[in-house]
Amino acid sequence: MTPSSPSPTTKDPAVAPGTSSPSRSPEDRSARIAVTVFPVLILAAAVFAFFVPSAGQALAPFTAIFLGIIMFAMGLTLTIPDFALVVRRPLPVLIGIVAQYLLMPLLGLGIALLLQLPPELAVGVILVGSAPGGTSSNVIAYLSKADTALSVTMTSISTLLAPLLTPLLTLWLAGSYLPVDAGAMAMSIVKMVLIPVVGGLVVRLLLSRLVDKVLPALPWVSVAGISLVIVAVVSGSTEAIVSAGAIVLLAVVLHNGLGYLLGYWAARLLRQGERAARTTSIEVGMQNSGLAATLAASAFAPAAALPAAIFSIWHNLSGAMLATYYRRSAEKHRSDAA
């Protein structure tokens, strides 16, 4: 989900001439800490839930509330100018959104078929692929010297489209595995995602000074929320973890890694620059796993939420590694050009 987000108004260190080294900026240090700490906390939450499942099962009825709080916090970080990029640079935004909602769902189906996953796990992988982009992608884009403003816009637009596209894609691709109530899923996304995000945006517009004061705390609100979601999901999936944990991890690693790769080359083949291609790569590979886990747990069997729970841990670890690679690549190109 969202370990931290650089402010949408923060200048991208890759393009801010005359600024100090991004590795020394407070925003960069904060983002690095969050990206490091977040997967550790999520892993700790998963381990706790696995060994103390009774505690996690008590939280299960409240997962939709936790997700709503996370999405409200996301809305508080948004401003109207975040959406202006759609008008100024529509092509890279369109490429990112289409790749997000085309490549990842089809990859999910392909991996489910390749690994011959049982129905609950197959639906879980497909649902992860059909979810919108995760807001932790904004931090990874920032650390990768990609286009942070483009990343924020892609995440915001894909999230607003989720009530329509996520249920339709899940019905289309996962309906052969298990019955899918697309209407009920769409209404759940409206309640858990769309209303909180729009509500947060409105509050930011009306009370901007007050919201600015609490912005530093919002990433940790999201960390706490997704940790509670993971505790609830894992506690109901202990048997599935024991019997199928390894195959689910393989599915998640393949899904995430191929998403990065195909997202990058989709942008490059459509004549986008290096920074836009990195951004698309990150946006396509990183999913709103908290939403996928909550939907899977409520609409299907608890085991269907397991891929999303593992994805939440893995994509933050892999994203941090990808950021290191992209960053070093950008610095090498800069030194070669000099």
Side-chain angles (χ1 to χ4, degrees), residues 1-5 38 42 66-71 74 132-139 155 193 222-223 225-227 229-230 286-292 294 311-313 315-316:
M1 285 293 293
T2 172
S4 175
S5 290
F38 180 67
I42 295 299
F66 299 148
L67 183 65
I69 292 171
I70 294 166
M71 301 317 296
M74 174 187 171
T135 52
S136 53
S137 63
N138 306 152
V139 174
T155 302
V193 176
S222 298
V223 168
I226 190 60
S227 297
V229 170
I230 295 302
M286 302 189 75
Q287 302 295 93
N288 190 329
S289 49
L291 172 61
T294 304
F311 199 99
S312 184
I313 301 168
H315 82 153
N316 284 283

PDB file of all heavy atoms in Angstrom, residues 1-5 38 42 66-71 74 132-139 155 193 222-223 225-227 229-230 286-292 294 311-313 315-316:
ATOM      1  N   MET A   1       0.834  -1.188   0.000  1.00  0.00           N
ATOM      2  CA  MET A   1       0.000   0.000   0.000  1.00  0.00           C
ATOM      3  C   MET A   1       0.869   1.237   0.000  1.00  0.00           C
ATOM      4  O   MET A   1       1.452   1.580  -0.969  1.00  0.00           O
ATOM      5  CB  MET A   1      -0.920  -0.021   1.225  1.00  0.00           C
ATOM      6  CG  MET A   1      -2.054  -1.005   1.086  1.00  0.00           C
ATOM      7  SD  MET A   1      -3.223  -0.539  -0.184  1.00  0.00           S
ATOM      8  CE  MET A   1      -3.908   0.912   0.533  1.00  0.00           C
ATOM      9  N   THR A   2       1.007   1.900   1.184  1.00  0.00           N
ATOM     10  CA  THR A   2       1.689   3.191   1.138  1.00  0.00           C
ATOM     11  C   THR A   2       2.599   3.425   2.316  1.00  0.00           C
ATOM     12  O   THR A   2       2.175   3.878   3.365  1.00  0.00           O
ATOM     13  CB  THR A   2       0.671   4.347   1.046  1.00  0.00           C
ATOM     14  OG1 THR A   2       1.387   5.573   1.196  1.00  0.00           O
ATOM     15  CG2 THR A   2      -0.393   4.264   2.073  1.00  0.00           C
ATOM     16  N   PRO A   3       3.878   3.043   2.235  1.00  0.00           N
ATOM     17  CA  PRO A   3       4.788   3.306   3.332  1.00  0.00           C
ATOM     18  C   PRO A   3       5.011   4.773   3.570  1.00  0.00           C
ATOM     19  O   PRO A   3       5.209   5.206   4.680  1.00  0.00           O
ATOM     20  CB  PRO A   3       6.080   2.626   2.899  1.00  0.00           C
ATOM     21  CG  PRO A   3       6.007   2.576   1.423  1.00  0.00           C
ATOM     22  CD  PRO A   3       4.553   2.440   1.095  1.00  0.00           C
ATOM     23  N   SER A   4       5.028   5.547   2.536  1.00  0.00           N
ATOM     24  CA  SER A   4       5.243   6.989   2.622  1.00  0.00           C
ATOM     25  C   SER A   4       5.062   7.549   1.237  1.00  0.00           C
ATOM     26  O   SER A   4       5.174   6.833   0.263  1.00  0.00           O
ATOM     27  CB  SER A   4       6.659   7.290   3.111  1.00  0.00           C
ATOM     28  OG  SER A   4       6.935   8.652   3.106  1.00  0.00           O
ATOM     29  N   SER A   5       4.764   8.799   1.137  1.00  0.00           N
ATOM     30  CA  SER A   5       4.672   9.434  -0.176  1.00  0.00           C
ATOM     31  C   SER A   5       5.326  10.782  -0.118  1.00  0.00           C
ATOM     32  O   SER A   5       5.015  11.578   0.753  1.00  0.00           O
ATOM     33  CB  SER A   5       3.200   9.614  -0.589  1.00  0.00           C
ATOM     34  OG  SER A   5       2.607   8.385  -0.873  1.00  0.00           O
ATOM     35  N   PHE A  38       8.705  -0.375   6.350  1.00  0.00           N
ATOM     36  CA  PHE A  38       7.374  -0.857   6.029  1.00  0.00           C
ATOM     37  C   PHE A  38       7.313  -2.371   5.814  1.00  0.00           C
ATOM     38  O   PHE A  38       6.509  -3.054   6.464  1.00  0.00           O
ATOM     39  CB  PHE A  38       6.841  -0.113   4.812  1.00  0.00           C
ATOM     40  CG  PHE A  38       5.464  -0.541   4.381  1.00  0.00           C
ATOM     41  CD1 PHE A  38       4.366  -0.287   5.186  1.00  0.00           C
ATOM     42  CD2 PHE A  38       5.263  -1.193   3.178  1.00  0.00           C
ATOM     43  CE1 PHE A  38       3.099  -0.676   4.806  1.00  0.00           C
ATOM     44  CE2 PHE A  38       4.000  -1.586   2.786  1.00  0.00           C
ATOM     45  CZ  PHE A  38       2.916  -1.328   3.596  1.00  0.00           C
ATOM     46  N   ILE A  42       5.245  -5.181   8.048  1.00  0.00           N
ATOM     47  CA  ILE A  42       4.255  -6.068   7.443  1.00  0.00           C
ATOM     48  C   ILE A  42       4.619  -7.530   7.695  1.00  0.00           C
ATOM     49  O   ILE A  42       3.767  -8.363   8.007  1.00  0.00           O
ATOM     50  CB  ILE A  42       4.144  -5.797   5.936  1.00  0.00           C
ATOM     51  CG1 ILE A  42       3.592  -4.395   5.695  1.00  0.00           C
ATOM     52  CG2 ILE A  42       3.254  -6.831   5.267  1.00  0.00           C
ATOM     53  CD1 ILE A  42       2.213  -4.168   6.256  1.00  0.00           C
ATOM     54  N   PHE A  66     -10.407  -0.515   8.113  1.00  0.00           N
ATOM     55  CA  PHE A  66      -8.961  -0.219   8.047  1.00  0.00           C
ATOM     56  C   PHE A  66      -8.595   0.301   6.657  1.00  0.00           C
ATOM     57  O   PHE A  66      -7.849   1.283   6.528  1.00  0.00           O
ATOM     58  CB  PHE A  66      -8.140  -1.470   8.363  1.00  0.00           C
ATOM     59  CG  PHE A  66      -8.374  -2.039   9.730  1.00  0.00           C
ATOM     60  CD1 PHE A  66      -8.286  -3.406   9.963  1.00  0.00           C
ATOM     61  CD2 PHE A  66      -8.692  -1.220  10.805  1.00  0.00           C
ATOM     62  CE1 PHE A  66      -8.494  -3.939  11.215  1.00  0.00           C
ATOM     63  CE2 PHE A  66      -8.911  -1.746  12.069  1.00  0.00           C
ATOM     64  CZ  PHE A  66      -8.821  -3.110  12.273  1.00  0.00           C
ATOM     65  N   LEU A  67      -9.116  -0.374   5.618  1.00  0.00           N
ATOM     66  CA  LEU A  67      -8.793   0.055   4.258  1.00  0.00           C
ATOM     67  C   LEU A  67      -9.356   1.447   3.983  1.00  0.00           C
ATOM     68  O   LEU A  67      -8.707   2.274   3.336  1.00  0.00           O
ATOM     69  CB  LEU A  67      -9.330  -0.945   3.237  1.00  0.00           C
ATOM     70  CG  LEU A  67      -8.984  -0.629   1.789  1.00  0.00           C
ATOM     71  CD1 LEU A  67      -7.488  -0.718   1.553  1.00  0.00           C
ATOM     72  CD2 LEU A  67      -9.725  -1.562   0.833  1.00  0.00           C
ATOM     73  N   GLY A  68     -10.566   1.719   4.473  1.00  0.00           N
ATOM     74  CA  GLY A  68     -11.145   3.040   4.292  1.00  0.00           C
ATOM     75  C   GLY A  68     -10.292   4.134   4.906  1.00  0.00           C
ATOM     76  O   GLY A  68     -10.118   5.218   4.328  1.00  0.00           O
ATOM     77  N   ILE A  69      -9.721   3.860   6.076  1.00  0.00           N
ATOM     78  CA  ILE A  69      -8.833   4.832   6.727  1.00  0.00           C
ATOM     79  C   ILE A  69      -7.580   5.055   5.885  1.00  0.00           C
ATOM     80  O   ILE A  69      -7.125   6.193   5.702  1.00  0.00           O
ATOM     81  CB  ILE A  69      -8.462   4.338   8.142  1.00  0.00           C
ATOM     82  CG1 ILE A  69      -9.706   4.356   9.039  1.00  0.00           C
ATOM     83  CG2 ILE A  69      -7.357   5.205   8.750  1.00  0.00           C
ATOM     84  CD1 ILE A  69      -9.495   3.689  10.386  1.00  0.00           C
ATOM     85  N   ILE A  70      -7.030   3.965   5.345  1.00  0.00           N
ATOM     86  CA  ILE A  70      -5.840   4.074   4.493  1.00  0.00           C
ATOM     87  C   ILE A  70      -6.140   4.939   3.271  1.00  0.00           C
ATOM     88  O   ILE A  70      -5.356   5.829   2.907  1.00  0.00           O
ATOM     89  CB  ILE A  70      -5.374   2.673   4.050  1.00  0.00           C
ATOM     90  CG1 ILE A  70      -4.895   1.854   5.244  1.00  0.00           C
ATOM     91  CG2 ILE A  70      -4.254   2.782   3.010  1.00  0.00           C
ATOM     92  CD1 ILE A  70      -4.740   0.377   4.944  1.00  0.00           C
ATOM     93  N   MET A  71      -7.271   4.692   2.628  1.00  0.00           N
ATOM     94  CA  MET A  71      -7.603   5.429   1.414  1.00  0.00           C
ATOM     95  C   MET A  71      -7.959   6.888   1.721  1.00  0.00           C
ATOM     96  O   MET A  71      -7.689   7.783   0.913  1.00  0.00           O
ATOM     97  CB  MET A  71      -8.753   4.747   0.667  1.00  0.00           C
ATOM     98  CG  MET A  71      -8.464   3.300   0.242  1.00  0.00           C
ATOM     99  SD  MET A  71      -6.805   3.016  -0.469  1.00  0.00           S
ATOM    100  CE  MET A  71      -6.882   4.021  -1.935  1.00  0.00           C
ATOM    101  N   MET A  74      -4.749   8.558   1.908  1.00  0.00           N
ATOM    102  CA  MET A  74      -4.248   8.817   0.558  1.00  0.00           C
ATOM    103  C   MET A  74      -4.905  10.061  -0.025  1.00  0.00           C
ATOM    104  O   MET A  74      -4.246  10.914  -0.637  1.00  0.00           O
ATOM    105  CB  MET A  74      -4.519   7.619  -0.351  1.00  0.00           C
ATOM    106  CG  MET A  74      -4.160   7.869  -1.810  1.00  0.00           C
ATOM    107  SD  MET A  74      -4.686   6.525  -2.900  1.00  0.00           S
ATOM    108  CE  MET A  74      -4.375   7.263  -4.515  1.00  0.00           C
ATOM    109  N   PRO A 132      -5.914  -1.495  -8.580  1.00  0.00           N
ATOM    110  CA  PRO A 132      -5.195  -0.299  -9.047  1.00  0.00           C
ATOM    111  C   PRO A 132      -3.771  -0.275  -8.517  1.00  0.00           C
ATOM    112  O   PRO A 132      -3.372  -1.134  -7.715  1.00  0.00           O
ATOM    113  CB  PRO A 132      -6.027   0.849  -8.456  1.00  0.00           C
ATOM    114  CG  PRO A 132      -6.674   0.258  -7.244  1.00  0.00           C
ATOM    115  CD  PRO A 132      -6.956  -1.173  -7.605  1.00  0.00           C
ATOM    116  N   GLY A 133      -3.014   0.721  -8.941  1.00  0.00           N
ATOM    117  CA  GLY A 133      -1.637   0.850  -8.485  1.00  0.00           C
ATOM    118  C   GLY A 133      -1.561   1.154  -6.996  1.00  0.00           C
ATOM    119  O   GLY A 133      -2.431   1.821  -6.433  1.00  0.00           O
ATOM    120  N   GLY A 134      -0.507   0.679  -6.364  1.00  0.00           N
ATOM    121  CA  GLY A 134      -0.297   0.962  -4.950  1.00  0.00           C
ATOM    122  C   GLY A 134       0.445   2.278  -4.761  1.00  0.00           C
ATOM    123  O   GLY A 134       1.322   2.628  -5.558  1.00  0.00           O
ATOM    124  N   THR A 135       0.088   3.016  -3.708  1.00  0.00           N
ATOM    125  CA  THR A 135       0.696   4.330  -3.530  1.00  0.00           C
ATOM    126  C   THR A 135       2.145   4.260  -3.044  1.00  0.00           C
ATOM    127  O   THR A 135       2.851   5.267  -3.082  1.00  0.00           O
ATOM    128  CB  THR A 135      -0.122   5.189  -2.550  1.00  0.00           C
ATOM    129  OG1 THR A 135      -0.342   4.455  -1.345  1.00  0.00           O
ATOM    130  CG2 THR A 135      -1.459   5.552  -3.154  1.00  0.00           C
ATOM    131  N   SER A 136       2.598   3.090  -2.622  1.00  0.00           N
ATOM    132  CA  SER A 136       4.027   2.963  -2.327  1.00  0.00           C
ATOM    133  C   SER A 136       4.856   3.137  -3.591  1.00  0.00           C
ATOM    134  O   SER A 136       6.051   3.446  -3.527  1.00  0.00           O
ATOM    135  CB  SER A 136       4.334   1.613  -1.674  1.00  0.00           C
ATOM    136  OG  SER A 136       3.816   0.559  -2.446  1.00  0.00           O
ATOM    137  N   SER A 137       4.205   2.996  -4.750  1.00  0.00           N
ATOM    138  CA  SER A 137       4.910   3.222  -6.019  1.00  0.00           C
ATOM    139  C   SER A 137       5.406   4.658  -6.128  1.00  0.00           C
ATOM    140  O   SER A 137       6.409   4.917  -6.789  1.00  0.00           O
ATOM    141  CB  SER A 137       3.991   2.906  -7.197  1.00  0.00           C
ATOM    142  OG  SER A 137       2.867   3.771  -7.206  1.00  0.00           O
ATOM    143  N   ASN A 138       4.709   5.609  -5.493  1.00  0.00           N
ATOM    144  CA  ASN A 138       5.137   7.005  -5.554  1.00  0.00           C
ATOM    145  C   ASN A 138       6.496   7.194  -4.892  1.00  0.00           C
ATOM    146  O   ASN A 138       7.346   7.940  -5.391  1.00  0.00           O
ATOM    147  CB  ASN A 138       4.109   7.913  -4.878  1.00  0.00           C
ATOM    148  CG  ASN A 138       2.697   7.748  -5.425  1.00  0.00           C
ATOM    149  OD1 ASN A 138       1.736   7.982  -4.717  1.00  0.00           O
ATOM    150  ND2 ASN A 138       2.555   7.307  -6.663  1.00  0.00           N
ATOM    151  N   VAL A 139       6.714   6.525  -3.780  1.00  0.00           N
ATOM    152  CA  VAL A 139       8.002   6.603  -3.096  1.00  0.00           C
ATOM    153  C   VAL A 139       9.089   5.924  -3.917  1.00  0.00           C
ATOM    154  O   VAL A 139      10.204   6.446  -4.060  1.00  0.00           O
ATOM    155  CB  VAL A 139       7.921   5.956  -1.699  1.00  0.00           C
ATOM    156  CG1 VAL A 139       9.292   5.892  -1.048  1.00  0.00           C
ATOM    157  CG2 VAL A 139       6.960   6.733  -0.818  1.00  0.00           C
ATOM    158  N   THR A 155      -1.301   6.712 -10.176  1.00  0.00           N
ATOM    159  CA  THR A 155      -1.896   6.039  -9.026  1.00  0.00           C
ATOM    160  C   THR A 155      -3.285   6.588  -8.739  1.00  0.00           C
ATOM    161  O   THR A 155      -4.228   5.830  -8.472  1.00  0.00           O
ATOM    162  CB  THR A 155      -1.005   6.204  -7.784  1.00  0.00           C
ATOM    163  OG1 THR A 155       0.292   5.673  -8.056  1.00  0.00           O
ATOM    164  CG2 THR A 155      -1.599   5.485  -6.583  1.00  0.00           C
ATOM    165  N   VAL A 193     -12.948   2.673  -1.100  1.00  0.00           N
ATOM    166  CA  VAL A 193     -11.885   3.382  -1.816  1.00  0.00           C
ATOM    167  C   VAL A 193     -12.346   4.748  -2.318  1.00  0.00           C
ATOM    168  O   VAL A 193     -11.790   5.781  -1.952  1.00  0.00           O
ATOM    169  CB  VAL A 193     -11.363   2.536  -3.007  1.00  0.00           C
ATOM    170  CG1 VAL A 193     -10.336   3.318  -3.812  1.00  0.00           C
ATOM    171  CG2 VAL A 193     -10.754   1.239  -2.493  1.00  0.00           C
ATOM    172  N   SER A 222      -1.195   4.814   7.486  1.00  0.00           N
ATOM    173  CA  SER A 222      -1.371   3.798   6.447  1.00  0.00           C
ATOM    174  C   SER A 222      -0.616   2.516   6.783  1.00  0.00           C
ATOM    175  O   SER A 222      -1.113   1.413   6.549  1.00  0.00           O
ATOM    176  CB  SER A 222      -0.899   4.353   5.100  1.00  0.00           C
ATOM    177  OG  SER A 222      -1.670   5.465   4.725  1.00  0.00           O
ATOM    178  N   VAL A 223       0.589   2.663   7.325  1.00  0.00           N
ATOM    179  CA  VAL A 223       1.361   1.484   7.726  1.00  0.00           C
ATOM    180  C   VAL A 223       0.597   0.687   8.769  1.00  0.00           C
ATOM    181  O   VAL A 223       0.491  -0.544   8.690  1.00  0.00           O
ATOM    182  CB  VAL A 223       2.742   1.905   8.266  1.00  0.00           C
ATOM    183  CG1 VAL A 223       3.423   0.732   8.959  1.00  0.00           C
ATOM    184  CG2 VAL A 223       3.619   2.422   7.137  1.00  0.00           C
ATOM    185  N   GLY A 225      -2.628   0.713   9.278  1.00  0.00           N
ATOM    186  CA  GLY A 225      -3.832   0.147   8.680  1.00  0.00           C
ATOM    187  C   GLY A 225      -3.557  -1.103   7.880  1.00  0.00           C
ATOM    188  O   GLY A 225      -4.246  -2.125   8.047  1.00  0.00           O
ATOM    189  N   ILE A 226      -2.548  -1.082   7.015  1.00  0.00           N
ATOM    190  CA  ILE A 226      -2.262  -2.254   6.199  1.00  0.00           C
ATOM    191  C   ILE A 226      -1.718  -3.390   7.059  1.00  0.00           C
ATOM    192  O   ILE A 226      -1.959  -4.567   6.777  1.00  0.00           O
ATOM    193  CB  ILE A 226      -1.296  -1.917   5.038  1.00  0.00           C
ATOM    194  CG1 ILE A 226      -1.215  -3.087   4.053  1.00  0.00           C
ATOM    195  CG2 ILE A 226       0.083  -1.563   5.542  1.00  0.00           C
ATOM    196  CD1 ILE A 226      -2.515  -3.459   3.410  1.00  0.00           C
ATOM    197  N   SER A 227      -1.009  -3.071   8.130  1.00  0.00           N
ATOM    198  CA  SER A 227      -0.534  -4.110   9.048  1.00  0.00           C
ATOM    199  C   SER A 227      -1.713  -4.846   9.675  1.00  0.00           C
ATOM    200  O   SER A 227      -1.705  -6.081   9.795  1.00  0.00           O
ATOM    201  CB  SER A 227       0.347  -3.499  10.141  1.00  0.00           C
ATOM    202  OG  SER A 227       1.513  -2.914   9.594  1.00  0.00           O
ATOM    203  N   VAL A 229      -4.732  -5.090   8.371  1.00  0.00           N
ATOM    204  CA  VAL A 229      -5.353  -5.889   7.307  1.00  0.00           C
ATOM    205  C   VAL A 229      -4.607  -7.203   7.125  1.00  0.00           C
ATOM    206  O   VAL A 229      -5.210  -8.279   7.017  1.00  0.00           O
ATOM    207  CB  VAL A 229      -5.389  -5.097   5.981  1.00  0.00           C
ATOM    208  CG1 VAL A 229      -5.801  -6.010   4.821  1.00  0.00           C
ATOM    209  CG2 VAL A 229      -6.353  -3.919   6.084  1.00  0.00           C
ATOM    210  N   ILE A 230      -3.281  -7.136   7.099  1.00  0.00           N
ATOM    211  CA  ILE A 230      -2.471  -8.352   6.922  1.00  0.00           C
ATOM    212  C   ILE A 230      -2.660  -9.315   8.083  1.00  0.00           C
ATOM    213  O   ILE A 230      -2.757 -10.537   7.890  1.00  0.00           O
ATOM    214  CB  ILE A 230      -0.985  -7.981   6.758  1.00  0.00           C
ATOM    215  CG1 ILE A 230      -0.769  -7.183   5.467  1.00  0.00           C
ATOM    216  CG2 ILE A 230      -0.108  -9.230   6.754  1.00  0.00           C
ATOM    217  CD1 ILE A 230      -1.215  -7.892   4.212  1.00  0.00           C
ATOM    218  N   MET A 286       3.622  -2.564  -9.111  1.00  0.00           N
ATOM    219  CA  MET A 286       3.224  -2.413  -7.704  1.00  0.00           C
ATOM    220  C   MET A 286       1.716  -2.194  -7.615  1.00  0.00           C
ATOM    221  O   MET A 286       1.179  -1.275  -8.221  1.00  0.00           O
ATOM    222  CB  MET A 286       3.988  -1.256  -7.064  1.00  0.00           C
ATOM    223  CG  MET A 286       5.494  -1.433  -7.143  1.00  0.00           C
ATOM    224  SD  MET A 286       6.443  -0.239  -6.171  1.00  0.00           S
ATOM    225  CE  MET A 286       6.175  -0.879  -4.519  1.00  0.00           C
ATOM    226  N   GLN A 287       1.031  -3.046  -6.849  1.00  0.00           N
ATOM    227  CA  GLN A 287      -0.425  -3.060  -6.797  1.00  0.00           C
ATOM    228  C   GLN A 287      -0.945  -2.638  -5.420  1.00  0.00           C
ATOM    229  O   GLN A 287      -0.230  -2.714  -4.416  1.00  0.00           O
ATOM    230  CB  GLN A 287      -0.937  -4.466  -7.103  1.00  0.00           C
ATOM    231  CG  GLN A 287      -0.494  -5.015  -8.447  1.00  0.00           C
ATOM    232  CD  GLN A 287      -1.064  -4.237  -9.605  1.00  0.00           C
ATOM    233  OE1 GLN A 287      -0.435  -3.314 -10.109  1.00  0.00           O
ATOM    234  NE2 GLN A 287      -2.263  -4.598 -10.033  1.00  0.00           N
ATOM    235  N   ASN A 288      -2.207  -2.233  -5.401  1.00  0.00           N
ATOM    236  CA  ASN A 288      -2.887  -1.940  -4.135  1.00  0.00           C
ATOM    237  C   ASN A 288      -3.290  -3.269  -3.505  1.00  0.00           C
ATOM    238  O   ASN A 288      -4.434  -3.709  -3.581  1.00  0.00           O
ATOM    239  CB  ASN A 288      -4.113  -1.054  -4.381  1.00  0.00           C
ATOM    240  CG  ASN A 288      -4.712  -0.516  -3.093  1.00  0.00           C
ATOM    241  OD1 ASN A 288      -4.645  -1.156  -2.061  1.00  0.00           O
ATOM    242  ND2 ASN A 288      -5.290   0.665  -3.162  1.00  0.00           N
ATOM    243  N   SER A 289      -2.320  -3.909  -2.893  1.00  0.00           N
ATOM    244  CA  SER A 289      -2.529  -5.254  -2.346  1.00  0.00           C
ATOM    245  C   SER A 289      -3.470  -5.243  -1.152  1.00  0.00           C
ATOM    246  O   SER A 289      -4.132  -6.247  -0.877  1.00  0.00           O
ATOM    247  CB  SER A 289      -1.182  -5.871  -1.961  1.00  0.00           C
ATOM    248  OG  SER A 289      -0.425  -4.968  -1.188  1.00  0.00           O
ATOM    249  N   GLY A 290      -3.544  -4.127  -0.433  1.00  0.00           N
ATOM    250  CA  GLY A 290      -4.483  -4.037   0.678  1.00  0.00           C
ATOM    251  C   GLY A 290      -5.921  -4.130   0.197  1.00  0.00           C
ATOM    252  O   GLY A 290      -6.757  -4.819   0.810  1.00  0.00           O
ATOM    253  N   LEU A 291      -6.230  -3.444  -0.900  1.00  0.00           N
ATOM    254  CA  LEU A 291      -7.569  -3.541  -1.482  1.00  0.00           C
ATOM    255  C   LEU A 291      -7.835  -4.960  -1.966  1.00  0.00           C
ATOM    256  O   LEU A 291      -8.916  -5.520  -1.714  1.00  0.00           O
ATOM    257  CB  LEU A 291      -7.699  -2.556  -2.644  1.00  0.00           C
ATOM    258  CG  LEU A 291      -8.981  -2.669  -3.479  1.00  0.00           C
ATOM    259  CD1 LEU A 291     -10.208  -2.406  -2.643  1.00  0.00           C
ATOM    260  CD2 LEU A 291      -8.926  -1.721  -4.678  1.00  0.00           C
ATOM    261  N   ALA A 292      -6.877  -5.555  -2.656  1.00  0.00           N
ATOM    262  CA  ALA A 292      -7.057  -6.917  -3.161  1.00  0.00           C
ATOM    263  C   ALA A 292      -7.291  -7.903  -2.022  1.00  0.00           C
ATOM    264  O   ALA A 292      -8.155  -8.785  -2.113  1.00  0.00           O
ATOM    265  CB  ALA A 292      -5.838  -7.338  -3.984  1.00  0.00           C
ATOM    266  N   THR A 294      -8.496  -7.273   1.009  1.00  0.00           N
ATOM    267  CA  THR A 294      -9.794  -7.028   1.643  1.00  0.00           C
ATOM    268  C   THR A 294     -10.936  -7.554   0.786  1.00  0.00           C
ATOM    269  O   THR A 294     -11.872  -8.197   1.285  1.00  0.00           O
ATOM    270  CB  THR A 294      -9.978  -5.522   1.897  1.00  0.00           C
ATOM    271  OG1 THR A 294      -8.885  -5.037   2.681  1.00  0.00           O
ATOM    272  CG2 THR A 294     -11.277  -5.250   2.647  1.00  0.00           C
ATOM    273  N   PHE A 311       1.984 -10.509  -1.585  1.00  0.00           N
ATOM    274  CA  PHE A 311       2.356  -9.447  -2.522  1.00  0.00           C
ATOM    275  C   PHE A 311       2.691  -8.159  -1.766  1.00  0.00           C
ATOM    276  O   PHE A 311       3.621  -7.437  -2.125  1.00  0.00           O
ATOM    277  CB  PHE A 311       1.217  -9.204  -3.509  1.00  0.00           C
ATOM    278  CG  PHE A 311       1.623  -8.479  -4.767  1.00  0.00           C
ATOM    279  CD1 PHE A 311       1.864  -9.179  -5.935  1.00  0.00           C
ATOM    280  CD2 PHE A 311       1.763  -7.104  -4.782  1.00  0.00           C
ATOM    281  CE1 PHE A 311       2.241  -8.523  -7.099  1.00  0.00           C
ATOM    282  CE2 PHE A 311       2.145  -6.436  -5.937  1.00  0.00           C
ATOM    283  CZ  PHE A 311       2.381  -7.149  -7.098  1.00  0.00           C
ATOM    284  N   SER A 312       1.939  -7.866  -0.714  1.00  0.00           N
ATOM    285  CA  SER A 312       2.159  -6.638   0.056  1.00  0.00           C
ATOM    286  C   SER A 312       3.560  -6.593   0.643  1.00  0.00           C
ATOM    287  O   SER A 312       4.189  -5.529   0.676  1.00  0.00           O
ATOM    288  CB  SER A 312       1.123  -6.536   1.179  1.00  0.00           C
ATOM    289  OG  SER A 312       1.263  -5.323   1.876  1.00  0.00           O
ATOM    290  N   ILE A 313       4.044  -7.723   1.081  1.00  0.00           N
ATOM    291  CA  ILE A 313       5.405  -7.781   1.624  1.00  0.00           C
ATOM    292  C   ILE A 313       6.425  -7.712   0.490  1.00  0.00           C
ATOM    293  O   ILE A 313       7.352  -6.898   0.501  1.00  0.00           O
ATOM    294  CB  ILE A 313       5.605  -9.078   2.430  1.00  0.00           C
ATOM    295  CG1 ILE A 313       4.599  -9.151   3.587  1.00  0.00           C
ATOM    296  CG2 ILE A 313       7.033  -9.161   2.973  1.00  0.00           C
ATOM    297  CD1 ILE A 313       4.543 -10.508   4.246  1.00  0.00           C
ATOM    298  N   HIS A 315       6.307  -6.799  -2.821  1.00  0.00           N
ATOM    299  CA  HIS A 315       6.477  -5.704  -3.783  1.00  0.00           C
ATOM    300  C   HIS A 315       7.171  -4.498  -3.163  1.00  0.00           C
ATOM    301  O   HIS A 315       7.779  -3.702  -3.874  1.00  0.00           O
ATOM    302  CB  HIS A 315       5.152  -5.334  -4.459  1.00  0.00           C
ATOM    303  CG  HIS A 315       4.244  -4.428  -3.700  1.00  0.00           C
ATOM    304  ND1 HIS A 315       3.350  -3.596  -4.327  1.00  0.00           N
ATOM    305  CD2 HIS A 315       4.065  -4.226  -2.378  1.00  0.00           C
ATOM    306  CE1 HIS A 315       2.666  -2.911  -3.427  1.00  0.00           C
ATOM    307  NE2 HIS A 315       3.068  -3.274  -2.244  1.00  0.00           N
ATOM    308  N   ASN A 316       7.109  -4.367  -1.852  1.00  0.00           N
ATOM    309  CA  ASN A 316       7.871  -3.298  -1.212  1.00  0.00           C
ATOM    310  C   ASN A 316       9.360  -3.630  -1.136  1.00  0.00           C
ATOM    311  O   ASN A 316      10.208  -2.758  -1.324  1.00  0.00           O
ATOM    312  CB  ASN A 316       7.300  -3.007   0.177  1.00  0.00           C
ATOM    313  CG  ASN A 316       6.013  -2.228   0.117  1.00  0.00           C
ATOM    314  OD1 ASN A 316       6.010  -1.028  -0.110  1.00  0.00           O
ATOM    315  ND2 ASN A 316       4.899  -2.910   0.298  1.00  0.00           N
TER     316      ASN A 316
END
